[in-house]
Amino acid sequence: MGRPRTPLIDRARITTEALRLVDAQGEFSVPQIARALGVQTGSLYHHVDGRSGVVELMRERVADAIDGDTIDLEPWDTAMEAWARSYRSAFAAHPRAIPLLMTSPVRAPKVLAQYERAVGRLLDAGFGTADVMTVLVALENLVLGSALDLAAPETMWELPDDTTTPRLARALAATGPDRADAAFELALEAFLAHCRALLEATEEVLP
């Protein structure tokens, strides 16, 4: 028999299946992907560098949904705000992938290129070199935590009754339906305000 005109597997199919598994069960294995695609496990290693390679493919796929052009907006804080919103939206589509992606080193070239742009944008705005990664990691923590929160149940606190924790019960009753969005807006506003103050302090010490 000749080879099929359309390959049974390629990097795009591997990525799609890995994300499907992670979205469904929070994990994946290379043999699981192979079975789903109808091929031998060894066949996948012709396309990816094992499990870590699959993780990087997923990282690239999720990051493709981030609008990198927002980094070039003016002024710098508008750029960071827009990038954060796009970043959150991209990862909120695959919240169960976040623990996998955030606990493995970033190697995907396209993702590294986006970080390079973000670093350059902050440096051009006047942030000190020693502060840039702290700012970016803090923004990531905010965004990814919020993306996970979007996937959480609307009711995260199950109270036995209103008398055991009465103040918590009143606070929960007063919370609107968009709790995750409201929390994100508060945190993003506070983050940007702190970054503006940090930039002002940096500019004051420059000769």
Side-chain angles (χ1 to χ4, degrees):
M1 293 179 65
R3 292 184 177 181
R5 292 182 179 180
T6 302
L8 291 175
I9 58 172
D10 55 26
R11 290 166 68 88
R13 287 184 174 88
I14 292 169
T15 307
T16 298
E17 185 57 33
L19 271 175
R20 186 192 69 78
L21 287 168
V22 171
D23 287 345
Q25 62 191 30
E27 253 297 351
F28 77 94
S29 71
V30 175
Q32 279 183 314
I33 296 173
R35 284 195 299 272
L37 295 176
V39 300
Q40 296 296 315
T41 299
S43 299
L44 266 68
Y45 292 101
H46 296 296
H47 300 272
V48 294
D49 181 20
R51 177 183 171 83
S52 63
V54 176
V55 170
E56 287 309 289
L57 288 178
M58 289 193 295
R59 192 192 306 278
E60 283 198 334
R61 175 71 64 82
V62 175
D64 277 345
I66 302 174
D67 184 1
D69 290 340
T70 56
I71 296 172
D72 299 325
L73 295 175
E74 293 289 350
W76 69 268
D77 50 354
T78 296
M80 289 297 104
E81 179 180 354
W83 191 51
R85 295 185 187 283
S86 182
Y87 200 143
R88 177 184 184 238
S89 177
F91 276 80
H94 302 282
R96 301 188 78 175
I98 293 174
L100 286 173
L101 300 181
M102 294 304 104
T103 54
S104 63
V106 180
R107 296 186 289 122
K110 289 196 296 185
V111 178
L112 291 172
Q114 191 162 151
Y115 276 103
E116 176 73 8
R117 289 180 67 184
V119 168
R121 187 70 181 83
L122 291 175
L123 290 173
D124 291 344
F127 285 89
T129 305
D131 294 324
V132 168
M133 289 311 299
T134 301
V135 169
L136 285 180
V137 171
L139 180 60
E140 260 194 348
N141 291 344
L142 188 164
V143 165
L144 296 176
S146 182
L148 283 171
D149 193 23
L150 283 172
E154 186 62 36
T155 303
M156 282 295 295
W157 297 265
E158 295 185 357
L159 311 184
D161 54 61
D162 290 350
T163 60
T164 305
T165 52
R167 289 173 293 186
L168 176 58
R170 288 197 299 273
L172 289 173
T175 301
D178 300 321
R179 172 186 57 80
D181 288 333
F184 174 70
E185 295 298 332
L186 175 64
L188 183 59
E189 181 181 348
F191 167 81
L192 291 171
H194 179 78
C195 287
R196 293 184 194 104
L198 177 63
L199 182 58
E200 290 175 5
T202 301
E203 291 172 341
E204 289 176 359
V205 300
L206 290 177

